[in-house]
């Protein structure tokens, strides 16, 4: 992909430079306000450490939640992130408020966290004036926040265009390399697993993948809609009757290049949506009226494992059953085991998928786990991610020269 990488810049050229890193620290907290998972913080450490070890003055920011611009609350502060980052780096990480005018100090080899960027008026609107103001205190902009790359916001898009030099950090680079390998130059057969409650929310993804993949594996309410489109009874299962023609169109697009849709042949049905519901395993042609499909059956698990074993590349987004309930977890457990056991190159993304990977203990057996949710899905759709578009726009050789010397004094705002 045509963009400048942080690793393309010699470490010696980073010394003394003011480096602005846009990270994704949108981390979860417990009910009492304690940080509950630092995975996203740890994921940014390689880029931050590379800059610190080169002697750069590092500024890092992120969004957290959905604050009202100009009115941050304590619950939306990056203060807990600063504390955890200081522990991980073994050095102080001050939190800077009201930072867009540059009225703060950061020395070479030091780092500060700039308070929640979504609190700045103009952030959500991708305000070029805000970007220009921030760019005055930046020598090098680094985007290491793939999870938000689908957002057109100031610190993701306009600032990348306004900064003297803009590049992708190691986390962003790894995500794009992994997705490029999976979709742009895949080992064949390419199998994509797409599951979810509604075809309508993922129709454009399905249409895009229909032109690329050899096998499209469907689960959840999406699979139910496709089963209904084939004339199978789905009882009270979640499905979208008004999208049956769209489902048939996806199947036809796959068939045009000898691709196929994989759907279960047997399913686990329940008389109600509850952990203690009555259940049966039936053929997809025999779903009782009033019952709902909540998982795939044993024959389908075996069939799916065989498909994935023969794949060259696997892209996985979504479970094939209501795996949060033990009674309907067998299908997603079998899917996870099959992906992990397959010799294929595997990449997985999306919140439910990551939860399934963690639950079934296969994290170390997936080749790449994407940190992106919405960005991962939009990449699968084939959309241009705004953050990536900005980095590509800055990839010309003339845009790669860092300022010749650092300037750390605060410059006055223009009148």
């Amino acid at each position: 992909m045509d963009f400048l990488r942080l690793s393309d810049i010699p470490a010696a050229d980073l010394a003394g430079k003011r480096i602005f890193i846009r990270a994704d620290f949108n981390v979860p907290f417990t009910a009492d306000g304690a940080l509950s998972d630092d995975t996203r913080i740890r994921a940014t450490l390689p880029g931050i450490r590379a800059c610190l070890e080169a002697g750069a003055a590092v500024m890092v920011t992120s969004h957290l939640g959905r604050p009202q611009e100009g009115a941050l609350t304590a619950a939306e502060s990056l203060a807990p992130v600063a504390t955890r980052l200081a522990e991980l780096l073994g050095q102080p990480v001050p939190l800077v408020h009201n930072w867009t005018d540059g009225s703060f100090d950061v020395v070479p080899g030091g780092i500060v966290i700039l308070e929640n960027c979504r609190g700045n008026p103009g952030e959500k609107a991708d305000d070029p004036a805000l970007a220009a103001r921030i760019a005055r205190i930046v020598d090098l902009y680094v985007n290491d926040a793939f999870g938000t790359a689908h957002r057109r916001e100031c610190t993701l898009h306009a600032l990348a265009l306004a900064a003297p030099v803009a590049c992708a950090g190691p986390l962003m680079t790894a995500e794009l390399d992994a997705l490029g390998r999976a979709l742009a130059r895949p080992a064949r057969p390419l199998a994509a697993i797409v599951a979810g409650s509604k075809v309508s929310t993922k129709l454009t993804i399905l249409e895009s993948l229909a032109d690329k993949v050899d096998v499209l594996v469907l689960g959840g309410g999406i699979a139910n809609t496709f089963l209904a489109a084939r004339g199978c009874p789905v009882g009270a299962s979640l499905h979208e009757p008004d999208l049956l023609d769209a489902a048939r169109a996806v199947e036809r697009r796959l068939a045009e290049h000898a691709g196929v849709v994989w759907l279960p042949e047997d399913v686990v049905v329940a008389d109600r949506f509850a952990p203690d519901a009555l259940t049966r395993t039936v053929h997809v042609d025999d779903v009782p009226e009033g019952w709902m499909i909540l998982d795939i059956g044993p024959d389908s698990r075996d069939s799916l494992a065989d498909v994935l074993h023969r794949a060259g590349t696997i892209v996985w987004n979504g479970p094939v059953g209501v795996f949060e309930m033990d009674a309907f977890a067998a299908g997603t457990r079998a899917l996870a085991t099959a992906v992990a056991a397959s010799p294929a190159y595997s990449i997985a993304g999306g919140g439910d998928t990551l939860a399934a990977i963690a639950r079934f203990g296969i994290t170390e057996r997936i080749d790449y786990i994407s940190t992106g949710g919405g960005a991962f899905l939009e990449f699968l759709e084939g959309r241009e991610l705004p953050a990536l578009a900005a980095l590509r726009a800055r990839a010309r050789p003339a845009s790669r020269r860092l300022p010749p010397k650092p300037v750390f004094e605060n410059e006055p705002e223009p009148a």
Side-chain angles (χ1 to χ4, degrees), residues 155-171:
T155 56
L156 296 164
H157 182 259
L159 182 57
L161 297 174
V165 181
C167 69
L171 178 59

Side-chain angles (χ1 to χ4, degrees), residues 65-377:
R66 301 178 183 274
Q68 179 181 345
E69 291 186 356
L72 278 178
T73 67
E76 297 153 346
S77 173
L78 291 174
V81 175
T83 299
R84 183 59 182 139
L85 187 57
E87 294 170 350
L88 293 169
L89 292 174
Q91 69 181 81
V93 182
L95 178 67
V96 179
H97 301 269
N98 303 317
W99 49 268
T100 59
D101 62 355
S103 56
F104 60 90
D105 294 320
V106 55
V107 299
I111 177 173
V112 297
I113 279 193
L114 308 177
E115 184 59 285
N116 193 334
C117 57
R118 278 195 182 161
N120 298 326
E123 172 68 16
K124 290 284 287 181
D126 197 28
D127 182 9
L130 174 61
R133 189 160 68 249
I134 299 171
R136 290 165 56 83
I137 61 171
V138 175
D139 293 321
L140 172 65
Y141 167 89
V142 180
N143 190 324
D144 219 13
F146 176 78
T148 56
H150 60 308
R151 304 292 186 192
R152 187 178 291 272
E153 298 177 3
C154 182
T155 56
L156 296 164
H157 182 259
L159 182 57
L161 297 174
V165 181
C167 69
L171 178 59
M172 173 73 84
T173 298
E175 293 272 3
L176 295 174
D177 285 347
L179 287 165
R181 176 176 174 181
L183 294 176
R185 48 187 186 281
R188 298 284 181 174
L190 168 57
I193 303 155
V194 181
S197 58
K198 295 182 177 181
V199 170
S200 55
T201 61
K202 294 187 178 178
L203 180 58
T204 53
I205 296 172
L206 297 173
E207 291 172 340
S208 177
L209 290 176
D211 296 327
K212 300 181 177 75
V213 306
D214 302 296
V215 183
L216 185 58
V217 175
L218 302 178
I222 293 175
N224 298 340
T225 298
F226 275 73
L227 286 170
R230 289 183 177 182
C232 300
V234 294
S237 305
L238 177 64
H239 70 294
E240 294 174 283
D242 57 334
L243 288 177
L244 301 188
D245 286 342
R248 297 182 189 109
V250 169
E251 290 219 52
R252 287 196 297 270
R253 287 177 71 161
L254 275 154
E256 288 173 2
H257 61 88
V260 296
V261 168
W262 181 93
L263 289 170
E265 55 198 273
D266 62 339
V267 290
V268 178
V269 297
D271 65 341
R272 56 197 175 92
F273 189 83
D276 59 348
L278 294 177
T279 64
R280 299 181 195 170
T281 299
V282 299
H283 191 273
V284 291
D285 290 330
D286 299 319
V287 175
E289 185 176 351
W291 289 54
M292 57 187 67
I293 300 169
L294 296 181
D295 197 9
I296 63 174
D299 291 342
S300 300
R301 294 172 217 153
D302 291 343
S303 168
L304 181 54
D306 181 60
V307 166
L308 298 180
H309 179 74
R310 291 185 281 110
T313 304
I314 298 171
V315 178
W316 177 17
N317 176 251
V320 292
V322 186
F323 74 97
E324 298 87 350
M325 299 182 188
D326 289 342
F328 313 110
T332 302
R333 180 185 293 108
L335 167 61
T337 301
V339 173
S342 174
Y345 175 77
S346 56
I347 180 169
D352 288 344
T353 309
L354 303 192
I357 288 171
R359 174 172 179 180
F360 300 122
I362 61 165
T363 300
E364 302 303 320
R365 299 170 66 192
I366 303 298
D367 289 298
Y368 194 84
I369 297 175
S370 173
T371 59
F376 180 82
L377 294 177

